[in-house]
């Protein structure tokens, strides 16, 4: 049974890693196989893997069939539906899942709606006066688009997250003379709506009593599973101290609730002789444990760690009621199979691997604890096993490991699990504010302790993300190192772990340059690497004061690539879509110098070391790669900040070059042509101003004469970039045009007299992606080869 459960999980994983989706007929044929053949002992394990693959395949076909039709993208549709989730309250908007009930065209059953708070956030959006509530029925005018997200190396696959949630389209609420105003039509009172309403009421009360404090968000996360109220600053602190797993509905919390329910029911059951004679108290307690685990799991949003614990409690309770003895390994394997049968896309969540890995390590360490000894020693052995065992996975997933994690968890685990979480749950059930006040004070003390831990020397170990093979070897070494006494040569496990923790960062050869244009939506962030240096050209956009792409996209990419410092940061001009993430980058990394064309009063200059203005004529050479600043010229005057953008040419030792142009428009292009047109020639061009019709003039393209061009643009952006006439201009010039919205992050490798273009969607294709790496103008593709 254990082997079959694990094989089922392997089959599910195999489907999720597939670049294309096999036909649905294959799934129907395999799932209809005669039971006598499927469960013949010799074929049980391989057939379990086949069934797992086909089960995931069947569900994938159902999900993909419920996606928005391409011809409906960009249209305004009047939709009636119900708010189906706890709304996520952001600085600029409110986001919620919306169950569609009626529409003028066939729509997915569930869409994700963003409702902006004011016209300043979305010029054609409908201003939001008061957030909608779960279960409310609304008539909304929505502009929809198919599921799409940024796709970068080591980054979140947003499209996979939407697929897992069963969301077939994203949208925002529209306004205007042709859009019917939003109208609330009443309520839908299903059981799930009432659960979401109760969650919303608890969250609202916590924030009303505690105000806009970190404790309010953390307690809401512990009580109702709403992690979005925790700020980015707190999440960074939790990651640095290794306690992130405690700030959500973790398996530890579900176990606590279910264990308490089992003890209470069993104790009361024994005091009622007729009940005890009819059903043993132990069985009654087991049923109560399952009911409590299910209730808490559903109330908290049914996250993967909570699912895992619920299924484990259910398996253990079933074994207890039947009189069977289930080994821990079988319980864990059955729970994993149950989670993936319910949610085959759970394998994309780091929490799936970390939560199951942590429980497996606890079972592994318990082998040593069974030999007896002091409880404190047993607890220390379990902590040691979890810390060592999960370190390789954390390095692979996040490119960092918290060194102070054992110390932080020694205080945080008992405090959060045994004190703060019960207080949060009690405060959710009982309208007595002193409970919240006590819990909030404890959270404040915990945050102070964690901040102290984070200031300790070498609090976090950062290293390039190791490959899968090195990670698997490190996991084997960690298990060997943490194995019970009596296992020979346990210290040799450290030798197996060493390669993953000392894996060298990939880097170009001398004379070569790697230039990666990240998929940053309607913004820009480009990393230029030589053999031993790194330059960041812009840092992506910002959205309000609490979210920016420097934190969300740029820093995770740099960390996973092993880049802990920048030799130069170029801030091309003051537009928010180019420099919005710069503050996060400057706060997190050591930056040797900043070149910019910002206004003197820009607050970023106070954070920037050795800041100097970009000036034509600046030049330097790193590792055989030449960098030349071509624009702006000294004394350049233009009323448009775009035309002050820093234009940088990167030339590899072999002669191939790429021209980075920021947001220059035709006036700046003309100035460049007038000064030194010969220096503009490059094999690859970063499309000026995201492909705006005010840039990419024919004379400029003729002088650069690129074989390929890279456009950093947002999917179906409201500016219409790149403009159709600009796309035609590149096609007429025989220039292969690559777009980040279609190809994901785009890497250009310069060297040996040529330029090679690589795209993330081609490097990691998945069956739910619409687009792959291909030029927007296929007729010009041969020019880039």
């Amino acid at each position: 049974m254990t082997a079959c459960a694990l094989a089922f999980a392997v089959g599910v994983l195999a489907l999720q890693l597939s670049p294309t989706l096999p036909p649905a007929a294959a799934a129907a044929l395999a799932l209809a196989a005669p039971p006598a053949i499927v469960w013949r002992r010799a074929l049980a394990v391989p057939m379990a893997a086949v069934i797992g693959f086909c089960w995931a395949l069947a569900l994938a076909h159902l999900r993909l069939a419920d996606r928005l039709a391409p011809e409906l993208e960009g249209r305004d549709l009047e939709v009636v539906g119900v708010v189906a989730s706890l709304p996520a309250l952001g600085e600029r908007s409110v986001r919620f899942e919306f169950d569609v009930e009626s529409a003028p065209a066939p729509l997915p059953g569930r869409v994700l709606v963003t409702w902006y708070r004011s016209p300043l956030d979305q010029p054609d959006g409908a201003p939001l006066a008061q957030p909608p509530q779960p279960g409310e029925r609304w008539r909304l005018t929505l502009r929809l688009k198919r599921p799409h997200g940024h796709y970068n190396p080591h980054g979140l696959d947003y499209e996979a997250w939407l697929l897992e949630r069963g969301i077939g389209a994203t949208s925002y609420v529209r306004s205007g003379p042709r859009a019917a105003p939003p109208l609330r039509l009443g309520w839908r009172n299903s059981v799930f709506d009432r659960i979401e309403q109760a969650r919303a009421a608890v969250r609202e009360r916590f924030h009303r009593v505690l105000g806009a404090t970190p404790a309010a968000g953390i307690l809401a996360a512990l009580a109702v599973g709403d992690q979005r109220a925790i700020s980015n600053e707190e999440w960074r602190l939790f990651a640095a101290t290794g306690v992130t797993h405690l700030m959500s509905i973790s398996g530890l919390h579900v176990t606590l609730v279910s264990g308490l329910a089992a003890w209470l029911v069993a104790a009361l059951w024994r005091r009622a002789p007729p009940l005890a004679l009819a059903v043993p108290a132990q069985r009654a307690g087991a049923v109560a444990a399952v009911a409590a685990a299910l209730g808490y799991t559903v109330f908290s949003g049914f996250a993967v760690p909570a699912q895992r614990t619920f299924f484990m409690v259910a398996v253990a309770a079933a074994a207890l009621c039947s009189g069977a003895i289930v080994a821990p390994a079988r319980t864990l394997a059955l729970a994993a199979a149950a989670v993936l049968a319910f949610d085959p896309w759970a394998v994309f969540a780091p929490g799936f691997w970390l939560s199951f890995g942590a429980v497996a390590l606890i079972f592994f360490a318990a082998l040593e604890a069974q030999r007896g000894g002091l409880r404190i020693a047993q607890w220390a052995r379990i902590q040691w096993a979890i810390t060592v065992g999960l370190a390789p996975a954390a390095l692979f997933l996040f490119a960092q490991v918290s060194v102070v994690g054992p110390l932080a968890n020694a205080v945080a685990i008992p405090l959060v699990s045994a004190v703060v979480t019960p207080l949060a749950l009690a405060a959710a059930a009982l309208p007595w504010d002193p409970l919240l006040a006590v819990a909030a004070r404890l959270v404040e003390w915990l945050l102070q302790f964690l901040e102290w831990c984070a200031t300790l020397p070498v609090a976090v170990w950062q290293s390039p993300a190791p490959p899968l093979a090195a990670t698997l070897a490190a996991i084997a070494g960690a298990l060997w190192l943490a194995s019970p006494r009596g296992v020979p040569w346990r210290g040799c496990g450290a030798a197996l772990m060493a390669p993953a923790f000392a894996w060298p960062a990939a880097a170009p050869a001398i004379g070569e340059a790697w230039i990666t244009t990240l998929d940053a939506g309607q913004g820009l962030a480009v990393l230029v690497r030589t053999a031993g240096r790194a330059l960041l050209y812009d840092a992506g956009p910002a959205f309000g004061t609490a979210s920016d792409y420097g934190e969300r996209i740029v820093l995770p990419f740099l960390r996973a690539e092993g880049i802990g410092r920048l030799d130069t940061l170029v801030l091309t001009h003051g537009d928010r879509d180019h420099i919005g993430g710069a503050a996060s980058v400057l706060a997190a990394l050591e930056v040797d110098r900043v070149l910019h064309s910002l206004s003197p009063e820009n607050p970023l200059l106070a954070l920037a070391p050795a800041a100097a203005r970009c000036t034509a004529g600046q030049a330097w050479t790193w590792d055989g790669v030449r960098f030349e600043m071509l624009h702006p010229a000294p004394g350049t005057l233009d009323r448009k900040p775009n035309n002050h953008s820093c234009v940088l040419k990167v030339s590899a030792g072999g002669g191939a070059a790429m021209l980075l142009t920021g947001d220059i428009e035709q006036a700046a292009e003309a100035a460049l042509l007038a000064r030194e047109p010969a220096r503009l020639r490059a094999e690859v061009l970063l499309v000026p101003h995201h492909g705006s019709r005010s840039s990419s003039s024919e004379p400029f393209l003729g002088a650069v004469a690129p074989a390929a061009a890279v456009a950093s643009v947002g999917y179906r952006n409201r500016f219409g970039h790149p403009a159709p006439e600009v796309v035609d201009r590149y096609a007429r010039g025989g220039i292969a045009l690559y777009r980040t919205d279609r190809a994901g992050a785009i890497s250009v490798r310069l060297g040996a007299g040529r330029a090679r273009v690589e795209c993330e969607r081609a490097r990691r294709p998945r069956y739910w992606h619409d687009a792959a790496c291909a030029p927007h103008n296929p007729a010009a593709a041969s020019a880039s080869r």
Side-chain angles (χ1 to χ4, degrees), residues 615-628:
T615 305
Q618 293 170 333
W620 64 94
T621 300
W622 289 343
D623 306 315
V625 177
R626 182 167 176 77
F627 294 77
E628 299 173 89

Side-chain angles (χ1 to χ4, degrees), residues 144-426:
L144 299 107
K145 64 181 180 180
R146 288 170 62 82
H148 190 89
H150 309 308
Y151 203 55
N152 292 292
H154 318 290
L156 169 71
D157 188 344
Y158 182 61
E159 293 169 47
W161 183 86
L162 292 173
L163 183 69
E164 180 184 15
R165 301 288 299 180
I167 295 170
T170 60
S171 65
Y172 69 92
V173 181
R174 288 270 289 153
S175 68
R178 296 184 179 181
L183 178 65
R184 191 170 75 86
L185 302 175
W187 295 85
R188 180 184 69 181
N189 291 313
S190 70
V191 173
F192 293 105
D193 291 330
R194 293 186 179 275
I195 291 173
E196 293 300 310
Q197 290 163 15
R199 296 178 68 206
V202 169
R203 182 181 68 177
E204 193 278 332
R205 177 170 164 263
F206 280 20
H207 285 278
R208 185 180 68 252
V209 173
L210 300 177
T213 61
I218 292 170
L219 292 175
L222 295 174
V224 299
D226 180 29
Q227 301 180 30
R228 292 161 293 197
I230 301 178
S231 70
N232 290 335
E233 183 179 356
E234 268 78 53
W235 282 124
R236 286 193 292 268
L237 177 63
F238 300 151
T241 53
V243 300
T244 303
H245 63 101
L246 291 174
M247 300 306 159
S248 59
I249 308 298
S250 71
L252 196 59
H253 304 152
V254 177
T255 303
L256 174 69
V257 171
S258 62
L260 181 60
W263 171 81
L264 182 61
V265 169
L268 295 176
W269 202 270
R270 292 188 184 94
R271 286 166 173 75
L275 295 177
L277 289 174
V279 178
Q282 193 176 34
R283 292 187 180 181
V287 173
V290 173
L294 177 60
Y296 188 26
T297 301
V298 172
F299 189 71
S300 65
F302 220 61
V304 169
Q307 288 179 36
R308 180 256 304 163
T309 307
F310 164 69
F311 286 122
M312 289 185 64
V313 171
V315 169
L320 182 63
C321 293
S322 66
I325 299 176
V326 179
R330 176 169 295 184
T331 301
L332 197 61
L334 290 174
V339 168
L340 294 180
F342 180 82
D343 179 8
W345 298 277
V347 292
F348 298 126
F352 174 84
W353 302 99
L354 296 178
S355 61
F356 275 97
V359 175
L361 288 165
I362 290 173
F363 288 155
F364 183 69
L367 297 174
E368 176 74 8
Q370 290 174 356
R371 299 183 180 184
L374 296 175
R375 287 188 178 272
I376 186 65
Q378 296 174 5
W379 176 85
R381 280 193 290 269
I382 291 175
Q383 285 296 310
W384 163 252
I386 293 175
T387 301
V388 173
L390 292 183
L395 192 65
F396 177 76
L397 293 170
F398 310 116
Q400 66 179 25
V401 177
S402 175
V403 178
V404 298
L407 173 62
N409 278 282
V411 175
I413 287 178
L415 180 61
V416 173
S417 298
V419 183
V420 175
T421 299
L423 283 173
L425 293 175

Side-chain angles (χ1 to χ4, degrees), residues 412-751:
I413 287 178
L415 180 61
V416 173
S417 298
V419 183
V420 175
T421 299
L423 283 173
L425 293 175
L430 303 173
W432 193 44
D433 293 347
L435 288 174
L436 269 179
V438 173
R441 179 57 61 88
L442 292 174
V443 169
E444 291 170 0
W445 289 344
L446 176 62
L447 290 175
Q448 293 173 6
F449 170 72
L450 295 179
E451 289 171 356
W452 174 80
C453 290
T455 61
L456 294 176
V458 198
V460 177
W461 175 274
Q462 293 187 347
S463 177
L468 181 60
T471 303
L472 295 176
I475 291 174
L479 292 176
W480 193 3
L481 188 63
S483 57
R485 287 174 295 175
V487 175
W489 303 100
R490 286 187 297 171
C492 294
L496 285 176
M497 297 179 66
F501 285 83
W503 197 262
I510 296 293
E512 293 184 354
W514 293 353
I515 305 175
T516 303
T517 303
L518 293 173
D519 184 1
Q522 193 62 22
L524 183 65
V526 182
L527 178 69
V528 183
R529 283 179 287 179
T530 66
R533 305 287 187 113
L535 176 147
L536 183 65
Y537 186 85
D538 283 335
F543 303 97
T545 58
S547 178
D548 66 71
Y549 278 18
E551 176 74 27
R552 293 170 55 183
I553 290 179
V554 176
L555 286 174
F557 172 70
L558 295 178
R559 188 182 302 122
E561 292 292 317
I563 298 173
R565 59 181 291 276
L566 293 172
D567 296 276
T568 299
L569 172 61
V570 178
L571 301 177
T572 59
H573 63 299
D575 283 1
R576 197 174 182 83
D577 59 327
H578 287 249
I579 65 169
S584 294
V585 172
L586 288 167
L589 295 180
E590 179 184 348
V591 179
D592 286 354
R593 67 168 176 169
V594 174
L595 298 178
H596 67 93
S597 62
L598 306 179
S599 60
E601 62 272 12
N602 194 296
L604 284 174
L605 297 181
L607 305 174
R613 297 195 67 83
C614 298
T615 305
Q618 293 170 333
W620 64 94
T621 300
W622 289 343
D623 306 315
V625 177
R626 182 167 176 77
F627 294 77
E628 299 173 89
M629 196 69 70
L630 304 184
H631 187 78
T636 297
L637 296 176
D638 196 292
R639 62 184 180 85
K640 288 188 175 182
N642 287 345
N643 284 323
H644 291 270
S645 294
C646 306
V647 176
L648 181 66
K649 183 178 181 181
V650 182
S651 305
M658 181 170 180
L659 188 65
L660 308 179
T661 56
D663 269 359
I664 61 170
E665 300 183 8
Q666 292 185 12
E669 293 174 359
L672 282 164
L673 289 169
R675 286 200 305 270
E676 39 190 351
R679 289 186 177 273
L680 295 177
R681 187 170 183 84
E683 282 67 27
V684 184
L685 171 67
L686 180 66
V687 174
H689 199 189
H690 315 284
S692 165
R693 59 174 53 90
S694 62
S695 61
S696 296
S697 63
E698 288 191 5
F700 180 75
L701 294 183
V704 179
V710 176
S712 180
V713 291
Y715 181 70
R716 297 191 66 86
N717 63 86
R718 61 190 177 92
F719 305 101
H721 294 162
E725 56 265 43
V726 172
V727 173
D728 291 342
R729 204 173 296 153
Y730 280 87
R732 291 196 304 270
I735 305 167
L737 178 61
Y738 294 88
R739 302 169 45 161
T740 56
D741 61 338
R742 300 187 175 188
I746 300 173
S747 297
V748 176
R749 300 203 171 192
L750 302 178

Side-chain angles (χ1 to χ4, degrees), residues 67 146-148 159 715 761 766-772:
R67 279 188 164 186
R146 288 170 62 82
H148 190 89
E159 293 169 47
Y715 181 70
R761 288 187 184 268
R766 295 292 183 263
Y767 65 81
W768 55 86
H769 291 159
D770 282 339

